[in-house]
């Protein structure tokens, strides 16, 4: 079986547990190792790792990145902290109850962006086809004719992971497969500092053992609906014909019938154009009265205008996002007859939506965004009545 | 209640009333239509609490009475019955069911108590006048395309109907605008209208009214107060709430001194705009008009699609200029012009342009230019 040393990146003749070249025990073996070229690379506990890198005294301590204080949530928990239970998106008070000794560090997004850019620069040496998902993860297409270095994708990835550790100072986990869903699934199977491979021969079987939420596109709501029908494992979905899935889940059923068989037609798209721009804020105390909600919205509308202007964009649909005290998210939208980037227009439309929702419920978060983006030149055509407001 | 009615007659009336009923309702009875049989007539009533329509059709009433039934379901059933069939509607003792029979089909529909059906009180409608169906059609057709659909500018979500004076002649005027274009049309002020308040007739009412007008050419009696308006036809009466808002002072945005006058054949221009705009992007739909003494040149370009140019004959005496418009807005206006020629009065590339029919001054359109 093809093997590869994860330390010296040299292939081995046969299936060995120790590298014949460097003596490392980190050997990677898989029948399809040299035949796969779609990768998902995910930084391990990214924000926390960056903080540890910059402050070595923290190395063995439980570190949580997130806003301290009553309302904050965990952005990232390092692997030391995770042993005690804290996870991303967990309310900070809960995380600290589980892990009272944790060092809490407020996020420094500017720093993480810089680190992320350094990682992306390393990716760019391997392939131009990089699809970033967030600051700390990306898909890479290393297929023949795409990749820039004449090595097998697996060797390239091992070198890349090593370079990121050495030059940037954070660890990554790599998933290698033949499509995006499976590559993503793989990167999650051997964390941290992992390298997992899912080949064509095993994909269906690997999927069959997973809960339905492992499938791209099945979120909480769909999973709940499936559970009501007694479906909790991918295996059960695999046994249903496409027609049955379509009958039950509509249009998504079609995509689902392929995904559960390990078939994912989505291509890796470099520099996916941005589809929406938004900004939001979490309150220090839940708010239910309209005036303070309106005030928060106004501030956000100006922030959104600034963002849109900087990006040279305008949006034709205004989206209001709210999260209730019990974590129910809701979003409402209003379509304009032209794209806008003006704070007063954004605010006016979002206010109109907010007035209908502010019925006494307590909200913990409010956000405003735009969809249906258009270039700034087409924004806010002149109006017959000059000012937007009259009457 | 028990009655028999011809399918075609019932379908026609149901078609009018069912579209008033909203698809989604939080109040269950608003999904229903009220059915009443009496004096050889079946009367149908639908409402969304803002708009109410009552329509009567001849029927053979064996036993008078009234009930309610789900409007959309009833409409679906009647629509699917074979042409020429007779429909029997019967409600026995209790209020909860309605039985409908036709040929070999039999339907049992859930009904809700007729006593719960909301009644839209007309209130007093102190102003009343009669308008020919064609005049009313004209007022609607030439303005409705400019109605704003932006909910934040709710006072623009309808047609502003009011009495005005046009060069000293009293007129009934309809105005609609969305801030990008404006349409103003007028007919001689009918008897009974002087002194009427200016009212904003909501978009949905306009749409439903227009449907009723499609099938009639008789006069329509319009009665109104500051809050409600009623349109009475031979067999149908529509009552609607009015938009509670102030329509902006539109006169001040209709330029009077635009001196760069372009006259062009309306149909040729419309077709050329349609062709050239095929190239402009879906988002902007921008088209450029370049005019000089030699005529008019239309052009459009987009980074993705390429570019297009078309030249037209036109009469123009002022200095050369270029101006951009939203091609769809321009075509909307050209579609309303009945005569052969359209007259564009322009000032500059950034100011509103006035469009009229060369031979008729009763309709005025204002179009805001675009940056091109």
């Amino acid at each position: 079986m093809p093997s590869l040393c994860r330390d010296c990146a040299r292939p081995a003749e046969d299936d060995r547990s120790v590298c014949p070249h460097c003596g490392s025990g980190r050997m990677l073996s898989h029948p399809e190792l040299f035949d796969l070229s779609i990768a998902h690379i995910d930084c391990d506990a990214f924000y926390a790792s960056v903080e540890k890198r910059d402050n070595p005294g923290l190395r063995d301590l439980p570190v949580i990145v997130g806003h301290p204080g009553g309302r904050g949530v965990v952005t990232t928990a390092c692997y030391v902290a995770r042993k005690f239970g804290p996870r991303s998106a967990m309310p900070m008070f809960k995380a600290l109850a589980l892990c009272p000794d944790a060092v809490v560090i407020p996020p420094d997004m500017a720093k993480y962006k810089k680190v992320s850019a350094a990682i992306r620069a390393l990716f760019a040496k391997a392939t131009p086809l990089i699809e970033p998902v967030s600051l700390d993860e990306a898909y890479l297409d290393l297929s023949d004719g795409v990749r820039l270095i004449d090595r097998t994708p697996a060797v390239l990835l091992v070198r890349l992971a090593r370079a990121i550790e050495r030059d940037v100072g954070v660890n990554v986990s790599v998933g290698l497969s033949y499509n995006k869903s499976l590559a993503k699934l793989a990167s999650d199977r051997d964390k941290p500092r992992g390298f997992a491979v899912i080949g064509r021969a095993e994909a269906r079987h690997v999927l069959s053992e997973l809960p339905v939420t492992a499938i791209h596109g099945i979120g909480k709501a769909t999973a709940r609906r499936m559970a009501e029908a007694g479906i909790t494992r991918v295996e059960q979905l695999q046994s249903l014909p496409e027609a049955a899935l379509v009958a039950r889940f509509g249009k998504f059923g079609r995509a689902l019938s392929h995904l559960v068989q390990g078939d994912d037609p989505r291509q890796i798209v470099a520099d996916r154009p941005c589809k929406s721009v938004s900004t939001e804020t979490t309150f220090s105390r839940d708010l239910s009265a309209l005036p303070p909600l309106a005030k928060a919205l106004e501030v956000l509308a100006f922030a959104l205008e600034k963002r849109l202007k900087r990006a040279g964009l305008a949006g034709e649909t205004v989206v209001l996002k709210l999260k209730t005290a019990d974590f129910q998210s809701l979003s409402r939208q209003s379509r304009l007859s032209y794209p806008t980037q003006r704070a007063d227009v954004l605010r006016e439309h979002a206010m109109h939506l907010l007035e209908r929702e502010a019925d006494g419920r307590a909200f913990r978060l409010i956000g405003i965004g735009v969809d249906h983006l258009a270039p700034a030149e087409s924004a806010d055509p002149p109006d017959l009545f000059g000012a937007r407001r009259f009457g | 209640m028990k009655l028999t009615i011809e399918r075609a007659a019932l379908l026609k009336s149901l078609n009018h009333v069912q579209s008033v009923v909203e698809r989604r309702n939080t109040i269950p009875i608003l999904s229903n239509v009220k059915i009443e049989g009496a004096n050889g007539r079946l009367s149908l009533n639908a409402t969304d609490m803002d708009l109410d329509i009552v329509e009567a059709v001849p029927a053979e009433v064996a036993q008078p009475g009234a009930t309610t039934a789900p409007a959309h379901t009833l409409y679906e059933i009647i629509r699917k019955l074979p042409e020429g069939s007779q429909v029997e509607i019967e409600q026995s003792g209790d209020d909860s069911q309605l039985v409908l029979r036709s040929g070999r089909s039999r339907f049992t529909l859930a009904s809700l108590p007729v006593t719960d059906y909301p009644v839209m009180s007309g209130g007093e409608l102190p102003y009343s006048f009669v308008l020919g169906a064609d005049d009313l059609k004209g007022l609607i057709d030439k303005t409705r395309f400019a109605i704003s659909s932006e909910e934040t500018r709710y006072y623009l979500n309808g047609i502003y109907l009011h009495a005005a004076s046009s060069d000293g002649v009293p007129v009934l005027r309809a105005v609609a605008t969305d801030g990008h274009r404006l349409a103003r049309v007028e007919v001689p002020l009918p008897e009974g209208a002087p002194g009427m308040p200016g009212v904003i007739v909501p978009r949905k009412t306009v749409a439903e009214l227009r449907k009723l007008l499609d099938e009639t050419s008789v006069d329509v009696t319009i009665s109104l107060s500051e809050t409600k308006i009623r349109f009475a036809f031979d067999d149908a009466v529509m009552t609607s709430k009015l938009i509670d808002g102030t329509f902006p002072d539109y006169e001040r945005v209709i330029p009077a001194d635009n001196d760069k006058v372009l006259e062009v054949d309306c149909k040729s221009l419309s077709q050329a705009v349609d062709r050239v705009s095929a190239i402009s992007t879906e988002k902007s739909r921008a088209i450029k008009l370049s005019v000089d003494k030699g005529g008019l040149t239309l052009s459009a370009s987009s980074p993705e699609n390429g570019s297009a140019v078309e030249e037209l004959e036109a009469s123009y005496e002022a200095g050369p200029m270029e101006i951009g418009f939203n091609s769809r807005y321009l075509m909307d206006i050209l579609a309303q012009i009945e005569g052969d020629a359209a007259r564009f009065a322009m000032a500059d590339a950034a100011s509103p342009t006035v469009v009229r029919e060369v031979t008729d001054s009763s309709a005025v359109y204002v179009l805001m230019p675009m940056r091109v």
Side-chain angles (χ1 to χ4, degrees):
Chain A
M1 191 183 326
S3 295
L4 182 64
C5 172
R6 290 183 51 203
D7 282 317
C8 69
R10 272 180 284 196
E13 295 299 303
D14 51 81
D15 191 4
R16 297 194 185 217
S17 58
V18 173
C19 175
H21 311 286
C22 72
S24 160
R26 296 209 308 151
M27 292 301 289
L28 184 62
S29 302
H30 192 279
E32 297 175 42
L33 185 60
F34 297 133
D35 308 325
L36 302 167
S37 56
I38 302 297
H40 179 253
I41 301 185
D42 195 4
C43 300
D44 302 324
F46 182 55
Y47 301 168
S49 303
V50 173
E51 296 301 340
K52 287 192 179 201
R53 177 195 75 169
D54 294 348
N55 184 353
L58 295 173
R59 206 189 69 183
D60 301 318
L61 299 177
V63 168
I64 292 177
V65 177
H67 285 287
R71 302 301 300 259
V73 292
V74 175
T75 311
T76 311
C78 78
Y79 280 88
V80 182
R82 285 189 203 185
K83 277 190 233 155
F84 299 95
R87 292 282 182 277
S88 300
M90 185 181 274
M92 189 60 83
F93 72 89
K94 209 168 154 189
L96 289 176
L98 291 167
C99 183
D101 298 329
V103 180
V104 178
I105 301 173
D108 178 352
M109 296 312 293
K111 178 158 81 177
Y112 309 147
K113 271 185 196 160
K114 255 190 224 163
V115 179
S116 177
I119 296 173
R120 248 170 243 174
L122 291 175
F123 289 164
K125 289 183 183 170
T127 174
L129 259 188
I130 306 163
E131 182 178 327
V133 182
S134 60
L135 283 184
D136 61 345
E137 54 175 312
Y139 292 99
L140 271 63
D141 187 339
L142 298 167
S143 307
D144 293 346
V146 175
R147 63 177 184 269
L148 301 170
I149 299 171
D150 188 20
R151 297 275 171 197
T152 61
V155 170
L156 270 182
L157 287 165
V158 164
R159 287 188 181 179
L160 207 47
R162 228 174 32 171
I164 294 169
E165 278 183 26
R166 191 185 56 219
D167 301 346
V168 183
V170 299
N171 294 342
V172 297
S173 291
V174 179
L176 175 62
S177 189
Y178 58 93
N179 66 38
K180 283 169 75 174
S181 294
L182 293 169
K184 165 127 180 132
L185 215 56
S187 73
D188 210 31
R189 283 167 85 78
D190 186 27
K191 274 185 153 296
R193 221 181 161 224
F195 196 127
V197 182
I198 298 177
R200 287 188 169 79
E202 68 197 322
R204 198 174 182 279
H205 177 70
V206 168
L207 285 168
S208 73
E209 297 180 322
L210 296 171
V212 290
T213 46
I215 299 294
H216 175 85
I218 301 187
K220 266 190 226 161
T222 313
R224 204 178 311 126
R225 267 173 55 211
M226 287 183 173
E228 278 162 16
I231 299 170
T232 54
R233 309 197 66 75
V234 177
E235 194 174 12
Q236 291 166 283
L237 293 173
Q238 284 175 336
S239 66
L240 293 172
E242 179 175 330
L245 291 170
V246 172
R248 211 172 279 186
F249 306 107
K251 223 167 67 181
F252 175 57
R254 225 187 143 117
L256 192 58
S257 74
H258 293 279
L259 288 172
V260 296
Q261 306 296 344
D263 222 5
D264 180 0
R266 290 175 304 146
Q267 298 286 317
I268 290 183
V269 184
D271 294 325
R272 182 178 285 282
C274 127
K275 278 187 174 162
S276 67
V277 180
S278 66
T279 176
E280 60 186 48
T281 183
T282 302
F283 307 126
S284 53
R285 270 180 34 237
D286 292 341
L287 295 179
S288 54
L290 186 59
L293 286 167
K295 185 77 207 141
L297 197 60
E298 185 169 3
V299 174
L300 290 174
F302 279 101
L304 183 59
E305 174 184 285
K306 219 166 130 186
R307 257 182 215 206
L308 286 168
K309 288 195 167 154
R310 202 182 304 147
L313 291 170
E316 208 167 316
T317 303
V318 177
V319 182
L320 171 75
K321 181 181 168 187
L322 289 163
K323 198 182 267 181
T324 61
D326 52 351
F327 288 88
Q328 302 256 5
S329 284
L330 52 105
S331 105
R332 298 286 179 264
Q333 31 187 274
S334 169
R335 185 89 191 236
L336 283 69
S337 53
Y338 56 88
T340 189
Q341 51 171 208
R342 283 175 52 166
D344 56 342
V345 179
L346 296 166
R347 193 200 66 93
E348 190 181 0
H349 282 263
M351 260 312 286
H352 188 74
L353 298 167
L354 176 63
E355 277 163 6
R356 286 187 221 160
E357 299 303 324
D359 51 7
R361 276 176 296 173
F363 296 105
R364 56 177 289 117
L365 173 149
I366 192 166
I368 181 173
V370 290
D371 275 353
H372 297 107
L373 298 179
E377 300 82 68
S378 60
D380 302 294
D383 192 286
L384 276 172
F385 298 93
R388 291 286 310 168
R389 290 188 143 278
F390 50 79
Chain B
M1 181 188 71
K2 186 171 179 180
L3 56 85
T4 310
I5 182 169
E6 240 181 85
R7 175 214 176 240
L10 180 55
L11 183 65
K12 185 170 154 236
S13 291
L14 259 180
N15 183 25
H16 293 151
V17 304
Q18 60 91 25
S19 55
V20 169
V21 176
E22 292 289 339
R23 287 275 156 193
R24 276 188 282 176
N25 268 306
T26 44
I27 306 169
I29 199 147
L30 292 184
S31 299
N32 281 17
V33 56
K34 181 174 150 190
I35 304 166
E36 191 168 3
N39 307 323
R41 287 164 86 78
L42 163 66
S43 115
L44 296 165
N45 179 194
T47 182
D48 65 0
M49 306 285 266
D50 289 328
L51 173 61
D52 180 286
I53 178 168
V54 182
E55 189 160 336
V57 264
E60 215 174 283
V61 181
Q63 192 191 341
T67 186
T68 77
H72 297 303
T73 314
L74 186 62
Y75 177 64
E76 278 302 289
I77 293 170
I78 304 304
R79 204 169 59 84
K80 289 170 181 171
L81 289 176
E83 257 175 67
S85 52
Q86 294 282 313
V87 184
E88 185 191 277
I89 298 174
E90 181 176 12
Q91 186 185 39
S92 43
D94 77 336
D95 236 3
S96 67
Q97 277 183 353
L98 178 83
V99 177
L100 191 152
R101 287 185 205 90
S102 181
R104 294 184 180 186
S105 317
R106 181 176 185 279
F107 301 87
T108 307
L109 295 174
S111 51
L112 290 165
V114 71
T115 45
D116 293 352
Y117 205 77
V119 180
M120 184 144 159
S121 65
E124 206 187 318
L125 302 170
Y127 297 89
S128 186
F129 52 90
V130 175
L131 208 57
D134 288 336
D135 278 349
L136 187 52
K137 271 182 209 167
L139 290 177
I140 293 174
D141 291 348
K142 291 183 174 183
T143 53
R144 68 187 290 195
F145 68 90
I147 298 175
S148 169
S149 55
E150 262 179 56
E151 286 180 33
T152 51
R153 296 167 116 183
Y154 62 92
Y155 45 85
L156 297 185
N157 293 166
I159 294 178
Y160 181 49
L161 208 58
H162 61 297
S165 163
S166 187
D167 301 324
V169 181
V171 289
L172 177 68
R173 246 184 211 167
V175 182
T177 179
D178 62 3
H180 309 301
R181 57 249 171 97
L182 179 144
R184 192 198 82 183
V185 186
E186 55 202 26
V187 295
L189 191 66
E191 207 178 309
M196 69 173 265
V199 296
I200 309 170
V201 185
R203 162 195 295 278
K204 181 173 173 183
T205 304
V206 169
E208 297 304 325
L209 175 63
R210 189 61 188 83
K211 266 192 231 164
L212 290 177
L213 284 167
D214 256 343
E215 289 157 29
T216 189
S217 52
V218 298
D219 291 348
V220 183
T221 305
I222 301 175
S223 320
L224 58 90
S225 66
E226 286 190 351
T227 56
K228 291 212 175 82
I229 192 163
R230 174 171 292 163
F231 301 89
F233 295 78
D234 279 349
D235 298 316
V237 176
M238 210 166 99
T239 310
S240 169
K241 285 187 189 164
L242 295 162
I243 292 176
D244 183 11
T246 307
F247 201 81
D249 177 12
Y250 65 86
E251 290 286 9
R252 76 179 168 84
V253 303
I254 305 178
D257 312 323
N258 285 2
D259 54 0
K260 296 178 171 158
V261 178
L262 166 78
E263 285 186 10
V264 57
D265 179 72
C266 186
K267 202 170 164 194
S268 322
L269 176 60
S270 180
Q271 288 170 348
V273 169
D274 198 11
R275 274 189 294 271
V276 171
S277 65
I279 209 94
S280 63
T281 57
E282 177 64 22
K283 281 250 160 62
S284 82
R285 304 183 194 93
I287 189 165
K288 185 160 83 181
L289 281 68
S290 313
V291 281
D292 59 29
K293 295 208 165 76
L296 166 65
T297 306
L298 298 178
S299 61
S301 69
S302 93
E304 300 96 49
N305 300 335
S307 61
V309 180
E310 182 161 342
E311 286 173 13
L312 276 104
E313 274 178 35
S315 114
Y316 182 76
E317 298 300 327
M321 74 172 285
E322 289 187 343
I323 189 166
F325 293 114
N326 179 317
S327 57
R328 213 180 48 185
Y329 292 174
L330 186 55
M331 280 166 55
D332 278 346
I333 288 174
L334 294 173
Q336 305 314 322
I337 292 179
E338 285 162 5
D340 290 339
R343 171 182 288 143
F344 287 68
M346 301 171 284
D348 55 58
S351 309
T353 289
V354 180
V355 188
R356 291 173 194 262
E357 204 168 302
V358 168
T359 52
D360 174 15
S361 60
S362 70
V364 176
Y365 306 97
V366 183
L367 186 55
M368 201 64 200
M370 283 179 91
R371 292 177 285 251
V372 282

